[in-house]
Structures are given as structure tokens and as C-alpha cells.
Amino acid sequence: MHVFITGGTGLIGSAVVAELLGNGHTVLALARSDASALAAEAAGAEPLRGGLADLDILRTGVAQADGVIHLAFGNDFSSAEAVGRSVGEEGAALAALGEVLLGSDRPLVTVSGTPYAPGRPSTEADPLPTDGIVGGRGRSVTAALALAEHGVRSTAVRMPRTVHHNGTGGFAGLLTQIARRTGVSGYPGDGLQRWPAVHALDAAVLFRLALEQAPAGTSWHAVADEGDRVRDIAAVIGRRLGLPVEPQPAETYGPLGAIFATDQPSSSAHTQQALGWKPTRPGLLEDLENLEP
Ligand SMILES: NC(=O)c1ccc[n+]([C@@H]2O[C@H](COP(=O)([O-])OP(=O)(O)OC[C@H]3O[C@@H](n4cnc5c(N)ncnc54)[C@H](OP(=O)(O)O)[C@@H]3O)[C@@H](O)[C@H]2O)c1
């Protein structure tokens, strides 16, 4: 397939591009800067210059493709307003991508997040949250999945809290950044809450499988570690960086404080069984051993 990808130069997207190219597909990658265009080209993709807000460029990209993978998101979590802007931009972009695919039966694979299910690991059957700070993302993904009724093979690959590669990425990556800035490897609450995780190279395989074979309107969990205790994550970060490991107030984590404090394990049993996906890369705690002071 000739695949149009947004976010193809990111931590997850660059793994997805490599996975696609290694399995006989070709890639057209949205690139918002010269540096991103060069990176896309170096990876073997054809760059298409433009940003998520350039809806006409997005439509041009989709028109040339047999399938679409959407991963781009402005990762500024510094304030609720900044997150809200990114959520709005993504919603409009996803709607534009879907519009061009109506009636074509072509695949649209969008990124999503694993939901929270009180007292148990969440599953692929649990609905996405549509309230709270990132609730708008849930509404955008739900709208994309509804295009299954209108001739789009739309699917969602749900990411755990940390998608990691060489010890960086996701919520654990944010904990590392805060530790470097503050000199303390902290965690919110008692640290017993669990976050699920996956290696980016394993997640990339699931994006390819969803693109190639997942039925319209379905959601999948890219979860390798069902749940790592946040205190254990902070302990590895502290040891690798030579910093003390201590609990911190929720405010330390800005608009993400409440999400950081939640126990939110997640399962991928259905995904593994139905799509034959099997994560094989190192788990988060092992991958964090790659951190350098
Ligand atoms: N990593 C995780 O643990 C994790 C967990 C859950 C969900 N996710 C989601 O998975 C997706 C990819 O995450 P990631 O970790 O790979 O992110 P990342 O490394 O920050 O990469 C973000 C990608 O999006 C592109 N991008 C951002 N804003 C854009 C805009 N306005 N126009 C065009 N391109 C734009 C970036 O382009 P440049 O290269 O030009 O910057 C980059 O290719 C995001 O939706 C993220 O929320 C990630």
C-alpha cells in the first residue's frame, strides 16, 4: 500500500515508517519543517510539507494514498490551554482525513489511548473517556471510528501511558524530564498506581497489522506491560540519574497530575489473540536502564 502518515517523524511514527517500509509498503509523510522533511526522506519516506492545521494539504495527502495512519499531536502539556489547542487541532485534522476516505473502504488507522477501568485492567471493549483534559481526543477518535458506517475502514490503536524506545518517551519520559529539571526522581501519590507500557517497535507492528487487516470500527491495545508501578519506574530513573526518589504533590505534574495519580492497568489479550500480535521487545523497566545521567 502507499500509506500517508502524520507524525511519521516522532518516537512512534518513525518506528511505524520503518515497519511499513520493511514490509513492502511505501510512505508519504506529513512534515511541518525542513528538518522533519529531511528526517522523513532519510528514513525512506516521501515528505509532504505541511502541518496538522493545513487541512487542504492533509486532503492532498489522503487523495494520493491507499491508506492513512494518523499519529501527529502537539505534545505541549505545560497548561490545560495548550493541551486544549492541540486537541482541537487534532480533531479538525482527523475529520479532514476521514472526509476524503468516505465510501472508499480504504483504511484510516488513528492513534488513541488505553481507557481507565476502575478496579481492573481495561480492555478493547471499554469505551474511551470523553471528559477530562484529553476527553476531546476520545470524541475525535470515536467520530473517526463511526466512519466505519460510511465506507471507511477506520480503526484505533490505543497506546498505553508510556511508549518507549531506548529509555525515552511517554509518561515515564516526562518523569525523567522532571527529574532532570528538579534533581528529584518523583512520583505522585503512594506510587503504587500502575501504568501500562509498550516498546515503540512493538507498537509499530500493531499499527501495520491494523492497517493491513483490522475490520472497520475496531479498537486495539498496544500493551506489552499490563501495569508497572510508578514507584518502580521512578526508582530506576533515580538510580540511573543518581537522584533521590521521593513522592511529590500532584501539582508537580501540572494538568497531568490527576491522570498521573490514577491506577490504570490495561490488557491486550484480545488484540494478541485476534490479530496475532506478540510484543517481543524489552519492557519499560528494562528499557529505562538505557538512561544516561
Ligand atoms: N509516546 C507515548 O508514550 C504515547 C502514549 C500515548 C499516546 N501517544 C500518542 O501517540 C502519538 C505519537 O506520539 P509520539 O510519542 O511518537 O510523539 P512525538 O515523538 O512527540 O512525535 C509527534 C509527531 O507529531 C508531529 N507533529 C506534532 N505537531 C504537529 C503539527 N502541528 N503538524 C504536523 N506534525 C506535527 C511531530 O512532527 P515534528 O517531527 O516536526 O516535531 C512528530 O512527527 C501522539 O498522538 C501521542 O499523543 C504517545
mmCIF file of all heavy atoms in Angstrom, residues 6-14 30-33 35-37 39 50-54 58 70-75 77 86 89-90 111-114 137 158-164 168-172 198 207, ligand 1:
data_model
loop_
_atom_site.group_PDB
_atom_site.id
_atom_site.type_symbol
_atom_site.label_atom_id
_atom_site.label_comp_id
_atom_site.label_asym_id
_atom_site.label_seq_id
_atom_site.Cartn_x
_atom_site.Cartn_y
_atom_site.Cartn_z
ATOM 1 N N THR A 6 0.743 10.897 9.317
ATOM 2 C CA THR A 6 1.031 12.130 10.047
ATOM 3 C C THR A 6 1.815 11.726 11.303
ATOM 4 O O THR A 6 1.564 10.648 11.858
ATOM 5 C CB THR A 6 -0.245 12.885 10.479
ATOM 6 O OG1 THR A 6 -0.863 12.176 11.567
ATOM 7 C CG2 THR A 6 -1.235 13.038 9.338
ATOM 8 N N GLY A 7 2.758 12.553 11.725
ATOM 9 C CA GLY A 7 3.556 12.206 12.908
ATOM 10 C C GLY A 7 4.607 11.144 12.617
ATOM 11 O O GLY A 7 5.125 10.508 13.540
ATOM 12 N N GLY A 8 4.953 10.981 11.354
ATOM 13 C CA GLY A 8 5.888 9.915 10.958
ATOM 14 C C GLY A 8 7.326 10.154 11.386
ATOM 15 O O GLY A 8 8.165 9.257 11.249
ATOM 16 N N THR A 9 7.624 11.372 11.900
ATOM 17 C CA THR A 9 8.985 11.648 12.368
ATOM 18 C C THR A 9 9.097 11.551 13.889
ATOM 19 O O THR A 9 10.154 11.797 14.450
ATOM 20 C CB THR A 9 9.429 13.059 11.927
ATOM 21 O OG1 THR A 9 8.382 13.983 12.277
ATOM 22 C CG2 THR A 9 9.674 13.112 10.434
ATOM 23 N N GLY A 10 7.995 11.205 14.575
ATOM 24 C CA GLY A 10 8.012 11.128 16.036
ATOM 25 C C GLY A 10 8.559 9.811 16.546
ATOM 26 O O GLY A 10 8.973 8.940 15.763
ATOM 27 N N LEU A 11 8.526 9.663 17.863
ATOM 28 C CA LEU A 11 9.057 8.448 18.503
ATOM 29 C C LEU A 11 8.330 7.200 17.976
ATOM 30 O O LEU A 11 8.946 6.220 17.592
ATOM 31 C CB LEU A 11 8.888 8.578 20.025
ATOM 32 C CG LEU A 11 9.354 7.396 20.847
ATOM 33 C CD1 LEU A 11 10.325 7.845 21.931
ATOM 34 C CD2 LEU A 11 8.202 6.665 21.500
ATOM 35 N N ILE A 12 6.996 7.271 17.952
ATOM 36 C CA ILE A 12 6.227 6.112 17.478
ATOM 37 C C ILE A 12 6.222 6.089 15.949
ATOM 38 O O ILE A 12 6.432 5.043 15.328
ATOM 39 C CB ILE A 12 4.773 6.161 18.010
ATOM 40 C CG1 ILE A 12 4.772 6.215 19.546
ATOM 41 C CG2 ILE A 12 3.971 4.960 17.518
ATOM 42 C CD1 ILE A 12 3.391 6.445 20.162
ATOM 43 N N GLY A 13 5.996 7.270 15.343
ATOM 44 C CA GLY A 13 5.860 7.331 13.893
ATOM 45 C C GLY A 13 7.093 6.852 13.162
ATOM 46 O O GLY A 13 6.987 6.191 12.117
ATOM 47 N N SER A 14 8.287 7.175 13.665
ATOM 48 C CA SER A 14 9.493 6.728 12.949
ATOM 49 C C SER A 14 9.606 5.199 13.002
ATOM 50 O O SER A 14 10.054 4.572 12.036
ATOM 51 C CB SER A 14 10.751 7.421 13.480
ATOM 52 O OG SER A 14 10.829 7.305 14.867
ATOM 53 N N LEU A 30 3.692 13.475 6.279
ATOM 54 C CA LEU A 30 3.478 14.899 6.545
ATOM 55 C C LEU A 30 4.701 15.430 7.307
ATOM 56 O O LEU A 30 5.147 14.802 8.273
ATOM 57 C CB LEU A 30 2.220 15.084 7.400
ATOM 58 C CG LEU A 30 1.797 16.522 7.671
ATOM 59 C CD1 LEU A 30 1.247 17.182 6.404
ATOM 60 C CD2 LEU A 30 0.739 16.586 8.786
ATOM 61 N N ALA A 31 5.236 16.566 6.862
ATOM 62 C CA ALA A 31 6.443 17.121 7.504
ATOM 63 C C ALA A 31 6.255 18.622 7.655
ATOM 64 O O ALA A 31 6.124 19.338 6.666
ATOM 65 C CB ALA A 31 7.670 16.811 6.663
ATOM 66 N N ARG A 32 6.262 19.108 8.912
ATOM 67 C CA ARG A 32 5.928 20.521 9.143
ATOM 68 C C ARG A 32 7.139 21.442 9.100
ATOM 69 O O ARG A 32 6.997 22.643 9.260
ATOM 70 C CB ARG A 32 5.216 20.664 10.486
ATOM 71 C CG ARG A 32 6.048 20.235 11.661
ATOM 72 C CD ARG A 32 5.347 20.569 12.962
ATOM 73 N NE ARG A 32 5.943 19.853 14.072
ATOM 74 C CZ ARG A 32 5.637 20.071 15.328
ATOM 75 N NH1 ARG A 32 4.748 20.979 15.632
ATOM 76 N NH2 ARG A 32 6.213 19.368 16.288
ATOM 77 N N SER A 33 8.343 20.891 8.953
ATOM 78 C CA SER A 33 9.542 21.741 8.885
ATOM 79 C C SER A 33 10.551 21.114 7.927
ATOM 80 O O SER A 33 10.422 19.932 7.564
ATOM 81 C CB SER A 33 10.188 21.854 10.274
ATOM 82 O OG SER A 33 10.695 20.576 10.648
ATOM 83 N N ALA A 35 13.532 20.331 8.708
ATOM 84 C CA ALA A 35 14.218 19.265 9.454
ATOM 85 C C ALA A 35 13.397 17.975 9.424
ATOM 86 O O ALA A 35 13.939 16.872 9.216
ATOM 87 C CB ALA A 35 14.462 19.704 10.891
ATOM 88 N N SER A 36 12.064 18.110 9.583
ATOM 89 C CA SER A 36 11.206 16.917 9.557
ATOM 90 C C SER A 36 11.186 16.303 8.159
ATOM 91 O O SER A 36 11.157 15.074 8.014
ATOM 92 C CB SER A 36 9.782 17.271 9.967
ATOM 93 O OG SER A 36 9.802 17.858 11.229
ATOM 94 N N ALA A 37 11.178 17.163 7.129
ATOM 95 C CA ALA A 37 11.173 16.647 5.754
ATOM 96 C C ALA A 37 12.460 15.858 5.489
ATOM 97 O O ALA A 37 12.429 14.773 4.893
ATOM 98 C CB ALA A 37 11.039 17.795 4.772
ATOM 99 N N ALA A 39 14.312 14.388 7.743
ATOM 100 C CA ALA A 39 14.270 13.155 8.546
ATOM 101 C C ALA A 39 13.396 12.099 7.862
ATOM 102 O O ALA A 39 13.740 10.913 7.813
ATOM 103 C CB ALA A 39 13.744 13.460 9.948
ATOM 104 N N GLY A 50 3.831 20.387 5.279
ATOM 105 C CA GLY A 50 2.624 20.972 5.841
ATOM 106 C C GLY A 50 2.431 20.538 7.271
ATOM 107 O O GLY A 50 3.097 19.601 7.746
ATOM 108 N N GLY A 51 1.528 21.247 7.968
ATOM 109 C CA GLY A 51 1.232 20.916 9.365
ATOM 110 C C GLY A 51 -0.182 20.380 9.508
ATOM 111 O O GLY A 51 -0.958 20.380 8.544
ATOM 112 N N LEU A 52 -0.504 19.983 10.724
ATOM 113 C CA LEU A 52 -1.833 19.406 11.002
ATOM 114 C C LEU A 52 -2.962 20.394 10.735
ATOM 115 O O LEU A 52 -4.085 19.994 10.448
ATOM 116 C CB LEU A 52 -1.916 18.998 12.480
ATOM 117 C CG LEU A 52 -1.610 17.574 12.877
ATOM 118 C CD1 LEU A 52 -2.026 17.365 14.313
ATOM 119 C CD2 LEU A 52 -2.288 16.564 11.961
ATOM 120 N N ALA A 53 -2.642 21.701 10.830
ATOM 121 C CA ALA A 53 -3.684 22.715 10.623
ATOM 122 C C ALA A 53 -3.909 23.012 9.141
ATOM 123 O O ALA A 53 -4.867 23.702 8.794
ATOM 124 C CB ALA A 53 -3.304 24.001 11.355
ATOM 125 N N ASP A 54 -3.046 22.487 8.270
ATOM 126 C CA ASP A 54 -3.184 22.730 6.823
ATOM 127 C C ASP A 54 -4.112 21.662 6.228
ATOM 128 O O ASP A 54 -3.662 20.671 5.639
ATOM 129 C CB ASP A 54 -1.806 22.681 6.146
ATOM 130 C CG ASP A 54 -0.859 23.722 6.709
ATOM 131 O OD1 ASP A 54 -1.312 24.855 6.985
ATOM 132 O OD2 ASP A 54 0.334 23.398 6.897
ATOM 133 N N LEU A 58 -3.528 18.089 4.024
ATOM 134 C CA LEU A 58 -3.909 16.752 4.516
ATOM 135 C C LEU A 58 -4.779 16.041 3.472
ATOM 136 O O LEU A 58 -4.574 14.865 3.164
ATOM 137 C CB LEU A 58 -4.685 16.854 5.834
ATOM 138 C CG LEU A 58 -3.936 17.422 7.042
ATOM 139 C CD1 LEU A 58 -4.845 17.400 8.274
ATOM 140 C CD2 LEU A 58 -2.667 16.617 7.323
ATOM 141 N N HIS A 70 -2.644 8.055 11.339
ATOM 142 C CA HIS A 70 -2.566 9.374 11.977
ATOM 143 C C HIS A 70 -1.933 9.266 13.364
ATOM 144 O O HIS A 70 -2.462 8.574 14.238
ATOM 145 C CB HIS A 70 -3.964 9.985 12.100
ATOM 146 C CG HIS A 70 -3.991 11.140 13.047
ATOM 147 N ND1 HIS A 70 -3.320 12.316 12.797
ATOM 148 C CD2 HIS A 70 -4.563 11.290 14.271
ATOM 149 C CE1 HIS A 70 -3.484 13.137 13.821
ATOM 150 N NE2 HIS A 70 -4.234 12.539 14.734
ATOM 151 N N LEU A 71 -0.814 9.991 13.553
ATOM 152 C CA LEU A 71 -0.105 9.954 14.833
ATOM 153 C C LEU A 71 0.278 11.333 15.351
ATOM 154 O O LEU A 71 0.681 11.466 16.508
ATOM 155 C CB LEU A 71 1.198 9.144 14.673
ATOM 156 C CG LEU A 71 1.071 7.632 14.747
ATOM 157 C CD1 LEU A 71 2.234 6.979 14.029
ATOM 158 C CD2 LEU A 71 1.013 7.164 16.189
ATOM 159 N N ALA A 72 0.205 12.379 14.513
ATOM 160 C CA ALA A 72 0.723 13.690 14.931
ATOM 161 C C ALA A 72 -0.120 14.289 16.043
ATOM 162 O O ALA A 72 -1.351 14.221 16.024
ATOM 163 C CB ALA A 72 0.757 14.646 13.740
ATOM 164 N N PHE A 73 0.559 14.875 17.013
ATOM 165 C CA PHE A 73 -0.119 15.572 18.111
ATOM 166 C C PHE A 73 0.886 16.531 18.725
ATOM 167 O O PHE A 73 2.033 16.151 18.959
ATOM 168 C CB PHE A 73 -0.605 14.560 19.163
ATOM 169 C CG PHE A 73 -1.455 15.185 20.239
ATOM 170 C CD1 PHE A 73 -2.764 15.576 19.963
ATOM 171 C CD2 PHE A 73 -0.956 15.388 21.518
ATOM 172 C CE1 PHE A 73 -3.559 16.165 20.939
ATOM 173 C CE2 PHE A 73 -1.745 15.978 22.502
ATOM 174 C CZ PHE A 73 -3.052 16.367 22.213
ATOM 175 N N GLY A 74 0.450 17.762 18.967
ATOM 176 C CA GLY A 74 1.348 18.737 19.581
ATOM 177 C C GLY A 74 1.518 18.398 21.056
ATOM 178 O O GLY A 74 0.591 18.580 21.828
ATOM 179 N N ASN A 75 2.685 17.902 21.409
ATOM 180 C CA ASN A 75 2.875 17.387 22.773
ATOM 181 C C ASN A 75 3.312 18.465 23.763
ATOM 182 O O ASN A 75 4.338 18.337 24.416
ATOM 183 C CB ASN A 75 3.894 16.232 22.761
ATOM 184 C CG ASN A 75 3.227 14.934 22.355
ATOM 185 O OD1 ASN A 75 2.007 14.796 22.478
ATOM 186 N ND2 ASN A 75 4.008 13.993 21.866
ATOM 187 N N PHE A 77 2.288 19.832 27.130
ATOM 188 C CA PHE A 77 1.411 19.560 28.273
ATOM 189 C C PHE A 77 1.604 20.595 29.381
ATOM 190 O O PHE A 77 1.278 20.348 30.536
ATOM 191 C CB PHE A 77 1.687 18.150 28.823
ATOM 192 C CG PHE A 77 1.328 17.059 27.843
ATOM 193 C CD1 PHE A 77 2.313 16.318 27.216
ATOM 194 C CD2 PHE A 77 0.007 16.784 27.546
ATOM 195 C CE1 PHE A 77 1.990 15.322 26.296
ATOM 196 C CE2 PHE A 77 -0.334 15.799 26.637
ATOM 197 C CZ PHE A 77 0.664 15.063 26.005
ATOM 198 N N SER A 86 -4.100 21.684 21.160
ATOM 199 C CA SER A 86 -3.653 20.508 20.400
ATOM 200 C C SER A 86 -4.816 19.562 20.131
ATOM 201 O O SER A 86 -4.915 18.976 19.050
ATOM 202 C CB SER A 86 -2.565 19.753 21.182
ATOM 203 O OG SER A 86 -1.440 20.559 21.348
ATOM 204 N N GLU A 89 -6.922 21.046 17.339
ATOM 205 C CA GLU A 89 -6.232 20.938 16.047
ATOM 206 C C GLU A 89 -6.308 19.503 15.521
ATOM 207 O O GLU A 89 -6.582 19.259 14.350
ATOM 208 C CB GLU A 89 -4.769 21.356 16.225
ATOM 209 C CG GLU A 89 -3.948 21.306 14.964
ATOM 210 C CD GLU A 89 -2.487 21.689 15.209
ATOM 211 O OE1 GLU A 89 -1.782 20.948 15.929
ATOM 212 O OE2 GLU A 89 -2.065 22.720 14.690
ATOM 213 N N GLU A 90 -6.100 18.542 16.436
ATOM 214 C CA GLU A 90 -6.128 17.146 16.011
ATOM 215 C C GLU A 90 -7.529 16.733 15.543
ATOM 216 O O GLU A 90 -7.679 16.000 14.556
ATOM 217 C CB GLU A 90 -5.680 16.223 17.152
ATOM 218 C CG GLU A 90 -5.719 14.769 16.716
ATOM 219 C CD GLU A 90 -5.390 13.790 17.837
ATOM 220 O OE1 GLU A 90 -5.940 13.937 18.938
ATOM 221 O OE2 GLU A 90 -4.586 12.876 17.585
ATOM 222 N N VAL A 111 -4.337 6.934 16.150
ATOM 223 C CA VAL A 111 -3.779 6.625 17.462
ATOM 224 C C VAL A 111 -4.796 7.024 18.522
ATOM 225 O O VAL A 111 -5.567 7.959 18.348
ATOM 226 C CB VAL A 111 -2.442 7.353 17.681
ATOM 227 C CG1 VAL A 111 -2.657 8.851 17.881
ATOM 228 C CG2 VAL A 111 -1.672 6.779 18.850
ATOM 229 N N SER A 112 -4.810 6.288 19.613
ATOM 230 C CA SER A 112 -5.694 6.596 20.723
ATOM 231 C C SER A 112 -4.981 6.169 22.002
ATOM 232 O O SER A 112 -3.810 5.796 21.974
ATOM 233 C CB SER A 112 -7.008 5.841 20.506
ATOM 234 O OG SER A 112 -7.919 6.121 21.538
ATOM 235 N N GLY A 113 -5.701 6.236 23.135
ATOM 236 C CA GLY A 113 -5.093 5.838 24.399
ATOM 237 C C GLY A 113 -5.903 4.729 25.049
ATOM 238 O O GLY A 113 -7.120 4.640 24.845
ATOM 239 N N THR A 114 -5.234 3.890 25.845
ATOM 240 C CA THR A 114 -5.994 2.863 26.570
ATOM 241 C C THR A 114 -6.866 3.562 27.608
ATOM 242 O O THR A 114 -6.426 4.497 28.275
ATOM 243 C CB THR A 114 -5.055 1.862 27.274
ATOM 244 O OG1 THR A 114 -4.160 2.592 28.124
ATOM 245 C CG2 THR A 114 -4.267 1.040 26.276
ATOM 246 N N ARG A 137 -9.965 14.224 22.709
ATOM 247 C CA ARG A 137 -9.298 13.243 21.836
ATOM 248 C C ARG A 137 -10.178 12.006 21.706
ATOM 249 O O ARG A 137 -10.288 11.424 20.638
ATOM 250 C CB ARG A 137 -7.929 12.838 22.395
ATOM 251 C CG ARG A 137 -6.925 13.945 22.433
ATOM 252 C CD ARG A 137 -5.495 13.421 22.645
ATOM 253 N NE ARG A 137 -4.893 12.997 21.393
ATOM 254 C CZ ARG A 137 -3.669 12.484 21.286
ATOM 255 N NH1 ARG A 137 -2.926 12.308 22.377
ATOM 256 N NH2 ARG A 137 -3.184 12.138 20.114
ATOM 257 N N ARG A 158 -4.830 1.820 20.406
ATOM 258 C CA ARG A 158 -4.756 2.522 21.686
ATOM 259 C C ARG A 158 -3.398 2.308 22.343
ATOM 260 O O ARG A 158 -2.956 1.171 22.532
ATOM 261 C CB ARG A 158 -5.849 2.003 22.618
ATOM 262 C CG ARG A 158 -7.266 2.338 22.159
ATOM 263 C CD ARG A 158 -8.234 1.581 23.026
ATOM 264 N NE ARG A 158 -9.619 1.977 22.876
ATOM 265 C CZ ARG A 158 -10.612 1.428 23.568
ATOM 266 N NH1 ARG A 158 -10.358 0.468 24.466
ATOM 267 N NH2 ARG A 158 -11.842 1.823 23.386
ATOM 268 N N MET A 159 -2.764 3.430 22.690
ATOM 269 C CA MET A 159 -1.440 3.393 23.315
ATOM 270 C C MET A 159 -1.552 3.373 24.836
ATOM 271 O O MET A 159 -2.405 4.061 25.409
ATOM 272 C CB MET A 159 -0.642 4.649 22.939
ATOM 273 C CG MET A 159 -0.300 4.777 21.484
ATOM 274 S SD MET A 159 0.748 3.437 20.948
ATOM 275 C CE MET A 159 -0.334 2.726 19.746
ATOM 276 N N PRO A 160 -0.639 2.641 25.490
ATOM 277 C CA PRO A 160 -0.551 2.737 26.945
ATOM 278 C C PRO A 160 0.091 4.065 27.341
ATOM 279 O O PRO A 160 0.482 4.852 26.476
ATOM 280 C CB PRO A 160 0.339 1.554 27.309
ATOM 281 C CG PRO A 160 1.155 1.298 26.085
ATOM 282 C CD PRO A 160 0.346 1.743 24.901
ATOM 283 N N ARG A 161 0.239 4.323 28.661
ATOM 284 C CA ARG A 161 0.747 5.623 29.113
ATOM 285 C C ARG A 161 2.183 5.878 28.665
ATOM 286 O O ARG A 161 2.580 7.016 28.458
ATOM 287 C CB ARG A 161 0.673 5.727 30.658
ATOM 288 C CG ARG A 161 -0.727 5.722 31.267
ATOM 289 C CD ARG A 161 -1.621 6.821 30.720
ATOM 290 N NE ARG A 161 -2.170 6.508 29.408
ATOM 291 C CZ ARG A 161 -3.256 5.776 29.185
ATOM 292 N NH1 ARG A 161 -3.931 5.285 30.182
ATOM 293 N NH2 ARG A 161 -3.691 5.546 27.941
ATOM 294 N N THR A 162 2.968 4.829 28.519
ATOM 295 C CA THR A 162 4.342 5.026 28.065
ATOM 296 C C THR A 162 4.638 4.158 26.857
ATOM 297 O O THR A 162 4.550 2.935 26.928
ATOM 298 C CB THR A 162 5.349 4.687 29.181
ATOM 299 O OG1 THR A 162 5.090 5.516 30.318
ATOM 300 C CG2 THR A 162 6.776 4.934 28.710
ATOM 301 N N VAL A 163 4.957 4.831 25.742
ATOM 302 C CA VAL A 163 5.527 4.147 24.579
ATOM 303 C C VAL A 163 6.991 4.561 24.585
ATOM 304 O O VAL A 163 7.305 5.752 24.506
ATOM 305 C CB VAL A 163 4.835 4.570 23.268
ATOM 306 C CG1 VAL A 163 5.379 3.749 22.114
ATOM 307 C CG2 VAL A 163 3.320 4.400 23.388
ATOM 308 N N HIS A 164 7.873 3.602 24.731
ATOM 309 C CA HIS A 164 9.283 3.923 24.987
ATOM 310 C C HIS A 164 10.205 3.349 23.928
ATOM 311 O O HIS A 164 9.860 2.383 23.235
ATOM 312 C CB HIS A 164 9.695 3.385 26.374
ATOM 313 C CG HIS A 164 9.381 1.928 26.559
ATOM 314 N ND1 HIS A 164 10.304 0.939 26.313
ATOM 315 C CD2 HIS A 164 8.245 1.288 26.956
ATOM 316 C CE1 HIS A 164 9.742 -0.243 26.563
ATOM 317 N NE2 HIS A 164 8.499 -0.057 26.955
ATOM 318 N N THR A 168 13.431 6.403 26.500
ATOM 319 C CA THR A 168 12.732 7.688 26.457
ATOM 320 C C THR A 168 11.299 7.496 25.964
ATOM 321 O O THR A 168 10.979 6.477 25.364
ATOM 322 C CB THR A 168 13.437 8.702 25.527
ATOM 323 O OG1 THR A 168 13.371 8.204 24.194
ATOM 324 C CG2 THR A 168 14.887 8.894 25.916
ATOM 325 N N GLY A 169 10.456 8.523 26.194
ATOM 326 C CA GLY A 169 9.087 8.536 25.656
ATOM 327 C C GLY A 169 8.012 8.411 26.718
ATOM 328 O O GLY A 169 8.232 7.854 27.799
ATOM 329 N N GLY A 170 6.842 8.982 26.400
ATOM 330 C CA GLY A 170 5.638 8.791 27.189
ATOM 331 C C GLY A 170 5.698 9.364 28.593
ATOM 332 O O GLY A 170 6.495 10.250 28.905
ATOM 333 N N PHE A 171 4.816 8.862 29.460
ATOM 334 C CA PHE A 171 4.737 9.364 30.835
ATOM 335 C C PHE A 171 6.050 9.119 31.589
ATOM 336 O O PHE A 171 6.493 9.973 32.348
ATOM 337 C CB PHE A 171 3.582 8.682 31.580
ATOM 338 C CG PHE A 171 2.232 9.300 31.345
ATOM 339 C CD1 PHE A 171 2.003 10.193 30.298
ATOM 340 C CD2 PHE A 171 1.164 8.993 32.187
ATOM 341 C CE1 PHE A 171 0.751 10.761 30.085
ATOM 342 C CE2 PHE A 171 -0.096 9.559 31.989
ATOM 343 C CZ PHE A 171 -0.304 10.438 30.943
ATOM 344 N N ALA A 172 6.663 7.963 31.395
ATOM 345 C CA ALA A 172 7.945 7.711 32.073
ATOM 346 C C ALA A 172 8.980 8.728 31.597
ATOM 347 O O ALA A 172 9.807 9.208 32.382
ATOM 348 C CB ALA A 172 8.425 6.282 31.811
ATOM 349 N N VAL A 198 4.538 0.012 26.390
ATOM 350 C CA VAL A 198 4.923 -0.816 25.233
ATOM 351 C C VAL A 198 6.175 -0.210 24.601
ATOM 352 O O VAL A 198 6.384 1.004 24.674
ATOM 353 C CB VAL A 198 3.778 -0.887 24.185
ATOM 354 C CG1 VAL A 198 3.590 0.427 23.438
ATOM 355 C CG2 VAL A 198 4.016 -2.016 23.175
ATOM 356 N N PHE A 207 0.398 -1.217 14.489
ATOM 357 C CA PHE A 207 -0.138 -0.249 13.512
ATOM 358 C C PHE A 207 -0.185 -0.882 12.114
ATOM 359 O O PHE A 207 -1.164 -0.718 11.379
ATOM 360 C CB PHE A 207 0.716 1.028 13.485
ATOM 361 C CG PHE A 207 0.295 2.029 14.529
ATOM 362 C CD1 PHE A 207 0.958 2.107 15.746
ATOM 363 C CD2 PHE A 207 -0.780 2.884 14.312
ATOM 364 C CE1 PHE A 207 0.556 3.010 16.719
ATOM 365 C CE2 PHE A 207 -1.185 3.791 15.281
ATOM 366 C CZ PHE A 207 -0.516 3.853 16.486
HETATM 367 N N1 LIG B 1 4.873 8.135 23.467
HETATM 368 C C1 LIG B 1 3.873 7.762 24.246
HETATM 369 O O1 LIG B 1 4.107 7.204 25.319
HETATM 370 C C2 LIG B 1 2.420 7.937 23.864
HETATM 371 C C3 LIG B 1 1.465 7.395 24.729
HETATM 372 C C4 LIG B 1 0.125 7.539 24.418
HETATM 373 C C5 LIG B 1 -0.238 8.193 23.240
HETATM 374 N N2 LIG B 1 0.739 8.712 22.418
HETATM 375 C C6 LIG B 1 0.300 9.412 21.208
HETATM 376 O O2 LIG B 1 0.929 8.843 20.058
HETATM 377 C C7 LIG B 1 1.141 9.880 19.088
HETATM 378 C C8 LIG B 1 2.609 9.917 18.706
HETATM 379 O O3 LIG B 1 3.364 10.067 19.903
HETATM 380 P P1 LIG B 1 4.954 10.184 19.919
HETATM 381 O O4 LIG B 1 5.394 9.812 21.267
HETATM 382 O O5 LIG B 1 5.527 9.495 18.728
HETATM 383 O O6 LIG B 1 5.087 11.773 19.753
HETATM 384 P P2 LIG B 1 6.349 12.644 19.351
HETATM 385 O O7 LIG B 1 7.605 11.864 19.396
HETATM 386 O O8 LIG B 1 6.247 13.912 20.120
HETATM 387 O O9 LIG B 1 6.054 12.976 17.815
HETATM 388 C C9 LIG B 1 5.000 13.797 17.440
HETATM 389 C C10 LIG B 1 4.914 13.789 15.933
HETATM 390 O O10 LIG B 1 3.836 14.626 15.537
HETATM 391 C C11 LIG B 1 4.340 15.640 14.676
HETATM 392 N N3 LIG B 1 3.571 16.855 14.914
HETATM 393 C C12 LIG B 1 3.275 17.429 16.108
HETATM 394 N N4 LIG B 1 2.538 18.527 15.914
HETATM 395 C C13 LIG B 1 2.363 18.639 14.581
HETATM 396 C C14 LIG B 1 1.694 19.569 13.770
HETATM 397 N N5 LIG B 1 1.056 20.617 14.290
HETATM 398 N N6 LIG B 1 1.727 19.392 12.430
HETATM 399 C C15 LIG B 1 2.374 18.336 11.886
HETATM 400 N N7 LIG B 1 3.038 17.420 12.611
HETATM 401 C C16 LIG B 1 3.029 17.584 13.937
HETATM 402 C C17 LIG B 1 5.803 15.780 15.028
HETATM 403 O O11 LIG B 1 6.486 16.383 13.955
HETATM 404 P P3 LIG B 1 7.983 17.010 14.141
HETATM 405 O O12 LIG B 1 8.933 15.866 13.909
HETATM 406 O O13 LIG B 1 8.051 18.038 13.081
HETATM 407 O O14 LIG B 1 8.073 17.566 15.535
HETATM 408 C C18 LIG B 1 6.165 14.310 15.235
HETATM 409 O O15 LIG B 1 6.300 13.666 13.974
HETATM 410 C C19 LIG B 1 0.622 11.165 19.725
HETATM 411 O O16 LIG B 1 -0.708 11.333 19.333
HETATM 412 C C20 LIG B 1 0.692 10.872 21.202
HETATM 413 O O17 LIG B 1 -0.214 11.648 21.953
HETATM 414 C C21 LIG B 1 2.038 8.586 22.720
#
